[in-house]
Amino acid sequence: RPVVLIRDPQIIKQLTVKDFDHFMDHRVLITEDIDPLFGKNLVSLTGDKWKDMRATLSPAFTGE
């Protein structure tokens, strides 16, 4: 499976802050079955679970 590795901090910021809603479903490396703690990490979640967690955590990373 092809993978894109982005190393430019500005592009990473663009994708993770402004265009995050286009990249909510990604390949999961560790599931909750394998590691319950890391499996619930924002990076490991997909679908509605990811959206809910992103909405919960987003205010913590804004300046307002």
Side-chain angles (χ1 to χ4, degrees):
R1 292 179 64 173
V3 176
V4 174
L5 176 65
I6 300 170
R7 296 177 57 182
D8 184 319
Q10 293 300 323
I11 295 174
I12 293 171
K13 182 177 181 180
Q14 175 73 31
L15 293 174
T16 58
V17 176
K18 298 178 181 174
D19 297 327
F20 72 90
D21 55 335
H22 298 289
F23 298 96
M24 64 182 232
D25 286 331
H26 49 275
R27 189 172 3 170
V28 176
L29 301 175
I30 298 176
T31 63
E32 291 182 53
D33 299 338
I34 296 171
D35 186 344
L37 183 61
F38 191 76
K40 293 179 183 174
N41 184 317
L42 185 61
V43 176
S44 300
L45 296 174
T46 60
D48 288 335
K49 286 184 178 182
W50 180 86
K51 280 179 130 174
D52 293 341
M53 185 60 70
R54 176 72 163 78
T56 301
L57 294 175
S58 187
F61 297 103
T62 60
E64 297 178 12

